Amino acid sequence: MIDVRGLSVSYGTTPVLRGLSFAIGEGGLTALLGCNGAGKTTLFRCMLGLLPGYEGSLTLDGREIRRYGVRELAQRIAWIPQSQNPTFNYPAFDMVLMGTTGQMRPFASPGERQRGIAMEAMERLGIAHLARRGFLHLSGGERQLVLIARALAQQAKVLLMDEPCASLDFGNQSRVMAQARDLAHGGYTVIMSTHHPQHVLSYADCVIALSGGRLLRGGTPDEVMDAELMHTLYGIETAFVESPMGRIVVARKPV
């Protein structure tokens, strides 16, 4: 579905992505793992058509990303930011309804079809009861689920999630990640950037590890995740432990 070959991006004279090559097939949850500045956000911007000046090749369904129009690309890829603070305290339902605008003619208003799509997205995520609540009055986890529902209402099959659990508590992290996994196993292609190695171990089907704009490793979590990679990415010593809930990564206490 997404094929990257020799992708390089520079901001001015500063290289950010350096010859990335990998492929992501249809379906499943792929995690982009790396520290700050690894190039995860820049890669997402390329996928969204916001950085057309890249070198190399980036294709979606066999077609170069740069050849898609804005509206056409929005029908295929949806963006889910870390958080959003709108100026107005829109009801959660209206926030989700905004995801349907790409399906309408310019200046048209949402109709019953669009309203049905928005409510179906909320019901799928179990948040229909929040429909009339003001978005700014929701918890962090509830807001993130609303943003995911908005992406579902866009009816794109590729979901780009930018650190979806940033600033969420433990319970909300689990809820959001469970929804991401369920969507990935229900027909969506989910690509998620993260700083949480445990989220990769517990939820991802594939992982792409980036450092300094370069690809370090790619494959399944069992193939890729080990203490050597954690030391390379984060400069800390870790241990991987088997538990009844699966593999767990633990940082060693400093002496």
Side-chain angles (χ1 to χ4, degrees):
M1 172 171 277
I2 295 176
D3 192 67
V4 178
R5 291 289 173 262
L7 184 67
S8 297
V9 175
S10 296
Y11 293 139
T13 59
T14 303
V16 181
L17 297 180
R18 308 166 186 254
L20 289 185
S21 294
F22 60 85
I24 298 174
E26 184 175 354
L29 195 162
T30 297
L32 302 180
L33 181 67
C35 62
N36 292 327
K40 303 185 298 296
T41 298
T42 298
L43 177 57
F44 275 165
R45 294 185 70 193
C46 291
M47 291 179 177
L48 291 165
L50 301 176
L51 290 176
Y54 56 79
E55 298 178 8
S57 174
L58 173 56
T59 63
L60 172 64
D61 293 333
R63 182 179 175 188
E64 187 69 37
I65 286 284
R66 287 179 284 213
R67 296 185 179 177
Y68 284 95
V70 173
R71 189 183 186 90
E72 192 177 15
L73 191 58
Q75 293 171 349
R76 289 165 171 79
I77 299 180
W79 167 250
I80 302 167
Q82 291 182 27
S83 62
Q84 190 165 6
N85 293 300
T87 302
F88 301 103
N89 189 24
Y90 297 107
F93 177 80
D94 290 357
M95 289 289 292
V96 176
L97 189 60
M98 292 176 190
T100 66
T101 56
Q103 307 161 18
M104 300 181 295
R105 299 186 307 274
F107 308 112
S109 298
E112 287 304 312
R113 179 175 179 273
Q114 286 75 33
R115 297 179 71 83
I117 290 170
M119 183 53 69
E120 182 180 350
M122 298 190 77
E123 289 172 348
R124 178 166 188 167
L125 296 180
I127 56 171
H129 63 287
L130 301 177
R132 294 305 164 198
R133 292 267 303 276
F135 183 77
L136 296 178
H137 295 158
L138 301 179
S139 70
E142 289 169 339
R143 290 190 191 188
Q144 195 62 33
L145 291 174
V146 168
L147 296 179
I148 295 173
R150 184 177 66 183
L152 298 187
Q154 193 172 320
Q155 296 193 314
K157 282 301 183 180
V158 179
L159 306 179
L160 302 185
M161 306 179 75
D162 183 17
E163 297 181 33
C165 294
S167 302
L168 297 186
D169 63 34
F170 181 72
N172 280 319
Q173 288 183 34
S174 298
R175 294 181 187 98
V176 169
M177 288 306 305
Q179 291 290 356
R181 178 194 56 203
D182 290 347
L183 291 170
H185 294 173
Y188 289 89
T189 300
V190 180
I191 306 172
M192 171 192 76
S193 66
T194 182
H195 288 301
H196 295 280
Q198 190 59 51
H199 290 170
V200 177
L201 288 172
S202 299
Y203 299 100
D205 300 298
C206 298
V207 55
I208 295 171
L210 302 177
S211 179
R214 300 182 187 277
L215 175 66
L216 288 183
R217 298 185 192 176
T220 68
D222 284 343
E223 295 169 337
V224 170
M225 303 290 286
D226 59 24
E228 180 183 356
L229 179 64
M230 294 300 97
H231 188 270
T232 301
L233 291 179
Y234 303 111
I236 60 173
E237 299 298 324
T238 59
F240 285 74
V241 181
E242 296 296 333
S243 80
M245 303 298 288
R247 291 176 77 205
I248 297 174
V249 57
V250 182
R252 296 189 189 276
K253 292 183 179 180
V255 178

